Amino acid sequence: MYTIQQVIRLMGATSLVVTDHLVEYLIIDSRRAFSPARSLFFAIATTRRNGHDYIGALYQKGVRSFVITQNIDTTPFPLANFIKVADTVTALQQLAAAHRSQFSIPVIGITGSNGKTIVKEWLFQLLQPDYSIARSPKSFNSQLGVPLSVWELKSYHQLAIFEAGISQPGEMERLEKIIQPTIGILTNIGDAHREGFASNEQKAKEKRKLFTRAVLPPSLTLVSVEPKGRYAVITAKGTLLPMGGNIEIPFTDAASIQNAICCWELLLFLKVPQPTIAERMKSLSAVDMRLSLKKGVNHCQLINDSYSADLNSLEIALAFLKQQAGSLKRTVILSDFMQAGGKPHKLYADIQALLEQVPITRLITIGPVSGAALLHTADLWQLEQYTDTTAFLAQGQLRSFRDEIILIKGARSFGLEQVVAMLEEKVHETRLEIDLQAVTHNYTCYRQQLKPGTKIMAMVKAFAYGSGATEIAHVLQFQGVDYFGVAYADEGVELRKAGITTPILVMNSEPAAFDTLVNYQLEPTLFSVSILEAFDQFLLQQGITNYPVHLEMETGMNRLGFVEEEWPLLIKRLTSASSFLIQSVFSHLSASEDPAADRFTYKQFELYQSFTHLLQLAMGTGFISHIANSAGAIRHLSLQLDMVRIGIGLYGVETSSPLNLIPAVSLHSSIAQIKTIPAGSSVSYNRKTIVDRPTRLATVRVGYADGYPRCLGNRKGQVMVQGKLAPLLGSVCMDMFMVDITDIPTAQVGDQVILFGKELPVEQVAKWADTIPYEMLTGISQRVKRVYFQG
């Protein structure tokens, strides 16, 4: 750690120090101020957000030092240090480079078009028994991610592994000065991220600038690759392996083989014995960089991060825990941290500090080291300690876990996946996976297209399009969304009970729910004179004034809303009603995604504007205007107004959008059985499919009771197995269906089956089913397990 005065000198800046303190954390995101007293905030200004706007909120949280580029009024912040620089990103990078210069340990710099993160994580797995390792969290390889990664170097680290990614010429020189690698790895050069380069040759030249002062391990020459079931035996030879040798890895795909060879070359360069390398390679595990959120027993939520044990990943996991917790109690199950070298007392002091920042309610330690190191924390939270995972499984009582969110975090060697299996709610293997990182990405894509000041209402009705309203709402609330929209009051109640504090609009208000609306601070939509008068009378009886309401206007959808003939009566009632505060006025576009309907879309808008103009004249007060949905917000920029309503676009399903949206929802199942049937055999009920050749048939664990359309049977629909399409044979049954895998000879029982997702878009499956993606997503049954991943 450095004092703030030392930090100022390292950045080459000059500044008056008002409050002296230690700096342990560098933050660029105001939501990540988990230890404000020891944090330094870099106010980075972009085209969409200006970090200087968040100084006030951070000061209230306790942050006392800020790196700025703009002049600000410091009067409201008497205890703050303001460090003025020419460029905050450059200052951040300069500080990280100065910190890196304090270390003389081996530092591995990894770059390439693909495989950087996999190679980094595999090296961590392979070298962790020998070294205390610092490494980039997740895929922190950008101009901002690299300095934040390098800052995590601590005195007890013996080796560092950092990845560097670039998108245009000139960027790698800056990253090289920060990482200062002594050893380099170039994974490969391909077409990924080529947009900013004239050619692959230019990209390769730019990437190699990371190795200005680094040595690259001698290359191995590949001799052969032999499949061995689910394993691949790789034979190679080279300068450091003159007699040749082989390794066996639990993967058979070409990318994994190439990544394993990169790791093999590096380990030989570090003088790890070939027999040790061969033994460790057998235990390589798939790199899942996503935190997964699952339903647990007794209304619990589980965050599974049982793959690694280091401070960087713990901090990320605890941030996700805090984001998703809402009103649930917070429990952490923690194994010993297998840190080679270093000082255990310092490591566990840092762990305790991170846990206190959340804060948590209950801590369960597994392992003798963590148990002893954290024994004194029993007065901070409920503390339980077990010598190993077996002891926990034998003594842990399922009934003691109830209504809490549980982070399971620890080293692979402790086998904490057994704990996850014990605590996970038991459902069948079909699952709907929701990528929360993709939802965040899609939200940001829309945010970047909006005019300054335009708000976003995220529509999370219908269980957030089948994805899980509370989980999606927690993510978007964390991102600063302005409003949520739900269909009915009970959906809003669920969000409030889960700890959502963002304003919530209820689209379909009904008198029976008036009490609920008020009790849970939900804002109703008034769409008819009768509902308006009924709610006004209810509020008068309760003695409530200025309650926020929303008006829906009928402009051509012909569903709900005040029609033009009702305007005079509506305005008269509104001007005499003291119980209402008009929060917004909105309407629905019928076909904003269809260019052929653009004329009608603008006719709707003109009618809407006519009413809002009359209302403003009559009321003399302002309100939020909104008419655009996901498609309308992007195709018709003039219709963005004060707020837009984004729904299915958040999940990456918006065929008319030019944005780089990422599909966030995928439906998976697995093969239950495989059999070969002769030509002439029938499949499923009613014998509607008769095969005309010997057919290898796979039964998949999903059916129409799970929400999979029955109409996709009899070769109308297809699924993906091992990256290949397989047609459905016969009728879809209630709980399963059959597919033809004759042309996928390597398919086995237990293989994953993708029903829709990134590889097989839900739009295509909906087209096969003669429906729309909305119906596909919202129709997925609640018996299908939802699994949430943070990328």
Side-chain angles (χ1 to χ4, degrees):
M1 275 186 286
Y2 303 87
T3 66
I4 187 63
Q5 291 176 326
Q6 290 172 319
V7 166
I8 292 170
R9 285 198 301 272
L10 291 173
M11 289 191 297
T14 56
S15 176
L16 175 67
V17 174
V18 178
T19 301
D20 197 13
H21 65 91
L22 294 174
V23 175
E24 187 172 3
Y25 301 101
L26 307 182
I27 53 176
I28 59 175
D29 185 336
S30 61
R31 297 162 300 185
R32 303 284 181 180
F34 300 120
S35 184
R38 292 188 172 190
S39 293
L40 172 62
F41 178 67
F42 287 79
I44 297 172
T46 67
T47 56
R48 289 302 307 174
R49 293 187 185 277
N50 187 341
H52 298 77
D53 295 339
Y54 300 92
I55 289 173
L58 285 166
Y59 186 83
Q60 291 298 317
K61 289 183 178 181
V63 177
R64 290 295 176 264
S65 291
F66 304 87
V67 181
I68 60 173
T69 57
Q70 301 174 5
N71 293 323
I72 65 169
D73 179 10
T74 62
T75 306
F77 317 113
L79 299 178
N81 306 311
F82 288 100
I83 306 157
K84 186 80 176 291
V85 298
D87 184 276
T88 45
V89 174
T90 300
L92 171 65
Q93 294 178 340
Q94 186 172 335
L95 176 58
H99 177 62
R100 162 66 184 92
S101 298
Q102 309 300 311
F103 298 85
S104 58
I105 62 175
V107 174
I108 302 167
I110 305 174
T111 191
S113 299
N114 305 102
K116 297 184 292 293
T117 301
I118 300 292
V119 169
K120 178 198 68 185
E121 292 300 316
W122 278 2
L123 287 176
F124 180 76
Q125 292 178 29
L126 294 164
L127 292 170
Q128 194 176 22
D130 306 319
Y131 298 90
S132 173
I133 302 173
R135 74 192 196 280
S136 309
K138 301 194 293 184
S139 298
F140 275 37
N141 57 29
S142 66
Q143 298 292 312
L144 294 175
V146 167
L148 293 176
S149 300
V150 170
W151 181 257
E152 295 301 324
L153 270 171
K154 300 291 190 297
S155 60
Y156 53 79
H157 286 133
Q158 301 164 319
L159 179 76
I161 311 172
F162 300 120
E163 55 177 292
I166 57 174
S167 57
Q168 59 188 20
E171 291 184 337
M172 191 60 87
E173 290 95 331
R174 301 180 74 174
L175 298 185
E176 194 280 336
K177 291 176 182 177
I178 303 168
I179 297 173
Q180 301 166 37
T182 60
I183 304 170
I185 294 178
L186 180 64
T187 57
N188 61 57
I189 297 295
D191 290 330
H193 317 296
R194 185 181 162 177
E195 295 81 5
F197 302 94
S199 64
N200 278 344
E201 290 73 22
Q202 184 194 32
K203 182 167 65 171
K205 182 179 179 181
E206 290 294 321
K207 286 184 177 291
R208 288 185 181 276
K209 291 179 180 179
L210 179 62
F211 310 132
T212 303
R213 61 187 110 183
V215 177
L216 276 67
S219 298
L220 288 170
T221 300
L222 181 63
V223 175
S224 66
V225 177
E226 298 292 336
K228 185 180 176 182
R230 290 182 178 270
Y231 286 73
V233 178
I234 308 168
T235 303
K237 63 180 180 179
T239 304
L240 298 179
L241 197 64
M243 303 302 293
N246 61 64
I247 59 173
E248 188 175 319
I249 64 171
F251 305 93
T252 58
D253 60 286
S256 293
I257 291 168
Q258 183 180 40
N259 292 335
I261 292 172
C262 285
C263 295
W264 192 3
E265 292 167 347
L266 189 282
L267 266 64
L268 289 170
F269 183 75
L270 292 179
K271 296 182 169 55
V272 179
Q274 170 61 22
T276 303
I277 297 173
E279 187 61 33
R280 292 179 185 176
M281 285 284 186
K282 293 177 183 177
S283 301
L284 278 180
S285 53
V287 175
D288 193 341
M289 299 302 293
R290 307 176 298 176
L291 292 168
S292 62
L293 180 69
K294 304 178 179 181
K295 285 190 176 181
V297 297
N298 304 325
H299 310 292
C300 290
Q301 296 284 329
L302 305 180
I303 298 174
N304 179 16
D305 194 21
S306 58
Y307 314 112
S308 61
D310 59 273
L311 285 175
N312 287 348
S313 62
L314 176 62
E315 186 174 357
I316 291 168
L318 288 173
F320 187 51
L321 170 73
K322 189 172 184 178
Q323 172 186 301
Q324 291 293 329
S327 58
L328 295 173
K329 294 178 292 184
R330 302 168 186 183
T331 295
V332 174
I333 300 176
L334 197 70
S335 82
D336 287 352
F337 274 36
M338 310 299 288
Q339 196 94 43
K343 301 174 182 178
H345 66 276
K346 176 64 169 67
L347 174 64
Y348 282 95
D350 291 341
I351 290 172
Q352 178 182 335
L354 290 174
L355 295 173
E356 287 184 48
Q357 291 162 24
V358 175
I360 65 171
T361 309
R362 181 184 187 189
L363 174 64
I364 299 171
T365 64
I366 296 179
V369 179
S370 58
L374 297 170
L375 180 62
H376 66 283
T377 66
D379 59 335
L380 299 176
W381 39 63
Q382 180 184 341
L383 181 64
E384 300 175 31
Q385 298 184 306
Y386 299 89
T387 55
D388 53 32
T389 304
T390 301
F392 172 80
L393 295 172
Q395 301 173 41
Q397 298 294 317
L398 284 180
R399 62 177 177 273
S400 71
F401 294 93
R402 183 174 296 278
D403 299 317
E404 54 197 296
I405 186 167
I406 306 165
L407 168 63
I408 299 104
K409 174 70 178 171
R412 287 185 185 275
S413 58
F414 279 84
L416 293 188
E417 64 273 9
Q418 300 172 74
V419 176
V420 176
M422 183 187 83
L423 295 176
E424 190 175 357
E425 185 179 57
K426 301 301 183 285
V427 291
H428 72 131
E429 289 190 33
T430 299
R431 67 195 185 280
L432 191 72
E433 293 189 355
I434 299 95
D435 184 342
L436 299 179
Q437 191 81 4
V439 173
T440 298
H441 167 86
N442 297 336
Y443 170 82
T444 302
C445 284
Y446 279 100
R447 174 68 76 186
Q448 291 173 343
Q449 299 300 313
L450 301 182
K451 297 178 294 185
T454 300
K455 302 177 185 294
I456 290 181
M457 175 182 290
M459 303 307 297
V460 291
K461 59 184 181 176
F463 198 53
Y465 296 81
S467 299
T470 58
E471 292 81 4
I472 298 297
H474 277 303
V475 170
L476 296 176
Q477 179 170 267
F478 188 75
Q479 295 299 322
V481 74
D482 303 287
Y483 252 95
F484 287 114
V486 299
Y488 295 98
D490 55 353
E491 295 177 325
V493 170
E494 181 184 359
L495 296 182
R496 288 285 186 247
K497 286 182 176 179
I500 298 300
T501 58
T502 300
I504 300 173
L505 176 149
V506 178
M507 306 292 288
N508 198 340
S509 309
E510 47 193 344
F514 287 167
D515 265 324
T516 301
L517 291 169
V518 173
N519 290 339
Y520 287 92
Q521 296 179 296
L522 307 174
E523 302 175 12
T525 295
L526 307 180
F527 49 81
S528 68
V529 173
S530 61
I531 200 78
L532 182 150
E533 291 177 342
F535 192 57
D536 185 31
Q537 186 63 31
F538 171 82
L539 294 176
L540 290 172
Q541 290 172 356
Q542 303 296 316
I544 298 173
T545 59
N546 293 322
Y547 195 87
V549 299
H550 302 257
L551 303 180
E552 181 175 1
M553 313 312 298
E554 176 57 72
T555 59
M557 184 78 164
N558 289 318
R559 190 171 61 182
L560 293 176
F562 293 98
V563 297
E564 189 172 3
E565 291 75 18
E566 294 176 308
W567 291 1
L569 177 59
L570 171 60
I571 291 174
K572 180 180 178 181
R573 290 291 292 112
L574 291 173
T575 53
S576 63
S578 62
S579 56
F580 295 149
L581 173 65
I582 301 174
Q583 197 73 0
S584 84
V585 178
F586 70 95
S587 187
H588 280 85
L589 298 175
S590 301
S592 61
E593 74 285 353
D594 186 359
D598 284 353
R599 186 173 179 180
F600 185 78
T601 294
Y602 282 97
K603 183 179 178 182
Q604 283 190 270
F605 182 48
E606 289 171 7
L607 186 59
Y608 169 79
Q609 281 187 307
S610 298
F611 174 76
T612 56
H613 177 69
L614 288 175
L615 185 61
Q616 285 173 332
L617 290 176
M619 301 295 294
T621 57
F623 46 81
I624 299 170
S625 299
H626 53 112
I627 194 171
N629 55 5
S630 297
I634 304 305
R635 291 198 64 249
H636 308 287
L637 301 184
S638 61
L639 274 58
Q640 289 182 358
L641 306 180
D642 301 318
M643 184 160 69
V644 297
R645 302 186 302 274
I646 309 299
I648 203 164
L650 290 170
Y651 311 99
V653 183
E654 186 55 71
T655 54
S656 63
S657 175
L659 304 181
N660 183 31
L661 302 179
I662 299 174
V665 184
S666 54
L667 183 61
H668 301 252
S669 192
S670 62
I671 294 176
Q673 185 182 35
I674 294 174
K675 61 182 68 172
T676 299
I677 59 176
S681 300
S682 63
V683 181
S684 194
Y685 292 114
N686 307 122
R687 305 192 72 233
K688 290 188 176 180
T689 294
I690 308 295
V691 298
D692 57 4
R693 63 172 180 172
T695 300
R696 197 162 179 252
L697 196 68
T699 300
V700 181
R701 295 181 170 99
V702 63
Y704 61 76
D706 299 298
Y708 193 76
R710 189 172 182 273
C711 64
L712 289 179
N714 301 302
R715 302 186 187 276
K716 189 173 182 183
Q718 300 183 76
V719 297
M720 189 159 283
V721 179
Q722 293 189 355
K724 298 179 180 178
L725 290 174
L728 274 71
L729 299 184
S731 299
V732 174
C733 307
M734 181 180 289
D735 308 300
M736 61 196 76
F737 60 72
M738 284 65 77
V739 297
D740 184 351
I741 58 168
T742 308
D743 299 324
I744 313 174
T746 57
Q748 301 179 41
V749 170
D751 276 359
Q752 174 178 260
V753 178
I754 299 173
L755 290 86
F756 62 73
K758 293 178 183 177
E759 304 88 344
L760 180 57
V762 67
E763 295 93 329
Q764 176 60 64
V765 181
K767 187 175 181 180
W768 289 334
D770 296 321
T771 185
I772 57 176
Y774 294 79
E775 185 176 359
M776 289 292 304
L777 293 177
T778 58
I780 301 303
S781 165
Q782 289 300 298
R783 84 172 185 178
V784 173
K785 174 172 60 176
R786 268 68 175 174
V787 179
Y788 302 88
F789 293 100
Q790 181 75 26

